[in-house]
Amino acid sequence: MDEDKVRTQIESQPPKKAPLNKYALACALLASTNSILLGYDIGVMSGAVLFIKENLKISSYQMEILVGSLNVCSLIGALASGKTSDMIGRVVAGIGVGYSLMIAPVYTAEVSPAMTRGLLTSLPEVFINVGILLGYIFNYALADLPHHINWRLMLGLAAIPAIAIGYGVLQMPESPRWLIMKGSIEEAKRVLRKTSDNDDEADLRLEEIIKAAGSTTPSNNWKGQGVWKELLRPTRPLRRILVAAIGINFFMQASGNDAVVYYTPSVFNAAGIHNHKGLIAVTIVMGIAKTSFCVVSALFLDNFGRRPMLLLGTIGMAVSLAGLGLGSMYLRNVNHKPPWAIALCVVAVCADVSFFSIGLGPITWVYSSEIFPITLRAQGTSLAVSVNRLVSGAVAMTFLTISNKITFAGTFFLLCGVMVLATIFFYFFLPETKGKSLEEILAIFEDKKDNIANKETIKW
């Protein structure tokens, strides 16, 4: 059956809820599990620093360096992954936090059918939140141990799931788009048949990818040549893609979410909760809320679209941060800490991380992985994720210093302003990509002149 007939049949069918392909789901789960390690580190560090500070007598500045060090290291992995993922495959590149942050969403986007890509590509963020919650739980469980032992156990336990996750990553098949770029057409066809609803859909996806790759006989020697040159001297559509991808990754971390998670015990301590175990117990409540809303976002992302949920999330974060700023400002100026004001801060923090999990958290990974052309996807996404890691590290390493200068309330008002700017940016610069195949998204970033001028200069 030729491509036009298949497309006509697919488009003529009445709209219905897209089935979830079990093989694509299994691939996405395997690719995403490594994100548990990043989440666990974020969650467990928020509690561990309380005991590290007491045990090792470190300053707030040293604590910032300790907390932000993971992000600096993962920046190296994110930059390196763009090259190695096109040379030695997703499997080897999938090990390590910096690698997984870039590889997992890209790999998942490439194996996922268009109608369920949002759900599957948001799974890394779901696993990050699961990891954060596990970190909080282990913090609480180990808090009563001697301080020279508990924080070491909290951090060391991450080695146990790492072994199982490493084995799981090795079972992942290569993505069909990567296989086609390397000339392995038959192997790509086998993967597509497993990740599509039927053989006709698989054949159609295969034809689209081959056309997008620019040739029916791709070279086995292709190793990403010339990609960085195209990224550094972009065409107008590619420039728009870079602005969108880098912008959403910048605002994801400029929102301060990671820092809020890292330093929640310090924030609540300033609010009037002084017992260490009590502080950690509150973070578990926050972790449950954060994880729950991330799952809800993943389930509905393909129904409501990227833009509505992203805008809802950033507006909600702005309001939550304003409420947190007001609560923190009131508590700072009174000697007696009324329970209602403490409750306001707790609810505002939970609301902030929940709205992050609705919008910026999952959608950043989904959007970054799906908008780049096939030949630029690995390096383009690694560039965007590198900005993500750089901003995350900068925020984590300066959050306490800035808060000491302008108070926690001032910091939260500042972050509220950042979220207002993010909402404006997303409204004007991020078009909707729901339901589009990866090969169709280029048209969204082109105008009529671009469609003619850039047909031969950029391949989707």
Side-chain angles (χ1 to χ4, degrees):
M1 186 177 292
D2 61 44
E3 179 183 345
D4 292 335
K5 289 182 179 179
V6 174
R7 187 183 299 276
T8 301
Q9 284 187 3
I10 292 174
E11 292 178 350
S12 64
Q13 293 175 353
K16 60 181 180 179
K17 187 176 181 180
L20 185 60
N21 183 282
K22 293 181 180 179
Y23 188 81
L25 174 62
C27 292
L29 289 171
L30 285 174
S32 304
T33 49
N34 202 40
S35 298
I36 289 178
L37 298 179
L38 173 63
Y40 181 82
D41 181 271
I42 293 173
V44 81
M45 185 58 74
S46 70
V49 291
L50 295 173
F51 305 107
I52 293 174
K53 189 173 184 179
E54 287 188 2
N55 182 223
L56 301 183
K57 310 299 181 185
I58 62 175
S59 65
S60 295
Y61 175 74
Q62 290 171 318
M63 187 164 69
E64 287 178 319
I65 298 297
L66 176 65
V67 168
S69 60
L70 176 77
N71 298 311
V72 174
C73 294
S74 63
L75 169 63
I76 300 171
L79 281 170
S81 62
K83 182 67 174 177
T84 56
S85 65
D86 274 339
M87 290 184 64
I88 58 178
R90 310 288 192 217
V91 172
V92 175
I95 300 174
V97 168
Y99 280 79
S100 69
L101 283 175
M102 192 287 277
I103 296 299
V106 169
Y107 174 86
T108 304
E110 292 188 350
V111 299
S112 301
M115 298 308 295
T116 55
R117 191 174 61 243
L119 166 62
L120 297 180
T121 315
S122 61
L123 287 178
E125 182 66 17
V126 173
F127 277 92
I128 287 175
N129 282 282
V130 170
I132 289 173
L133 182 56
L134 288 174
Y136 290 157
I137 292 171
F138 277 102
N139 281 343
Y140 186 83
L142 301 173
D144 291 331
L145 294 177
H147 292 181
H148 67 285
I149 295 176
N150 58 8
W151 65 265
R152 290 180 169 89
L153 281 176
M154 292 172 185
L155 299 179
L157 284 171
I160 298 174
I163 298 172
I165 291 170
Y167 175 78
V169 168
L170 293 175
Q171 311 309 309
M172 293 159 49
E174 294 288 1
S175 81
R177 288 172 178 82
W178 186 84
L179 290 169
I180 288 173
M181 294 301 296
K182 301 297 291 183
S184 303
I185 305 296
E186 289 303 315
E187 190 174 349
K189 185 184 295 185
R190 285 194 294 272
V191 176
L192 283 170
R193 289 185 186 277
K194 292 180 179 180
T195 59
S196 302
D197 294 331
N198 52 63
D199 289 349
D200 289 339
E201 181 186 340
D203 292 339
L204 176 58
R205 291 174 67 187
L206 180 67
E207 291 298 321
E208 287 181 338
I209 298 170
I210 290 176
K211 285 184 179 180
S215 170
T216 56
T217 57
S219 170
N220 284 316
N221 296 320
W222 187 84
K223 296 179 180 178
Q225 298 93 329
V227 170
W228 286 110
K229 182 178 179 181
E230 287 192 64
L231 289 173
L232 296 176
R233 299 179 62 182
T235 59
R236 185 156 52 180
L238 181 55
R239 191 183 310 115
R240 291 170 180 164
I241 291 170
L242 284 168
V243 168
I246 291 174
I248 193 172
N249 276 274
F250 170 83
F251 281 114
M252 179 190 190
Q253 298 302 340
S255 70
N257 179 79
D258 281 7
V260 169
V261 173
Y262 277 129
Y263 299 116
T264 293
S266 298
V267 174
F268 288 154
N269 184 60
I273 303 175
H274 301 299
N275 178 267
H276 283 179
K277 199 162 186 178
L279 290 171
I280 295 172
V282 173
T283 64
I284 293 178
V285 175
M286 184 182 75
I288 292 172
K290 184 174 171 61
T291 305
S292 300
F293 278 94
C294 188
V295 172
V296 170
S297 177
L299 291 174
F300 289 98
L301 189 54
D302 287 308
N303 294 328
F304 295 112
R306 284 54 160 160
R307 274 173 57 86
M309 298 192 73
L310 186 60
L311 293 173
L312 171 64
T314 51
I315 292 171
M317 288 182 72
V319 174
S320 302
L321 287 164
L324 183 56
L326 289 172
S328 299
M329 184 170 63
Y330 177 83
L331 287 169
R332 186 173 184 273
N333 293 319
V334 295
N335 293 325
H336 173 67
K337 310 292 185 182
W340 67 263
I342 296 174
L344 172 63
C345 289
V346 173
V347 171
V349 169
C350 290
D352 177 51
V353 298
S354 297
F355 278 113
F356 177 87
S357 292
I358 288 174
L360 271 170
I363 295 173
T364 298
W365 307 122
V366 174
Y367 210 84
S368 301
S369 63
E370 67 185 1
I371 63 175
F372 282 100
I374 186 171
T375 54
L376 309 179
R377 188 166 296 135
Q379 283 87 344
T381 307
S382 74
L383 179 62
V385 174
S386 297
V387 172
N388 183 300
R389 294 292 85 201
L390 180 63
V391 178
S392 178
V395 172
M397 289 182 172
T398 59
F399 184 84
L400 291 180
T401 300
I402 293 174
S403 298
N404 288 335
K405 296 290 184 181
I406 64 174
T407 73
F408 279 122
T411 301
F412 296 135
F413 287 133
L414 178 63
L415 294 176
C416 173
V418 171
M419 285 298 92
V420 172
L421 292 176
T423 302
I424 296 171
F425 175 85
F426 298 150
Y427 183 83
F428 287 104
F429 292 100
L430 268 68
E432 182 59 68
T433 57
K434 180 189 75 170
K436 301 286 185 181
S437 72
L438 296 180
E439 288 65 48
E440 293 173 333
I441 296 179
L442 176 60
I444 299 174
F445 289 90
E446 289 184 333
D447 55 31
K448 292 182 179 179
K449 292 180 181 179
D450 293 327
N451 282 324
I452 298 173
N454 294 311
K455 187 175 291 186
E456 299 300 327
T457 59
I458 186 169
K459 301 186 185 302
W460 195 254

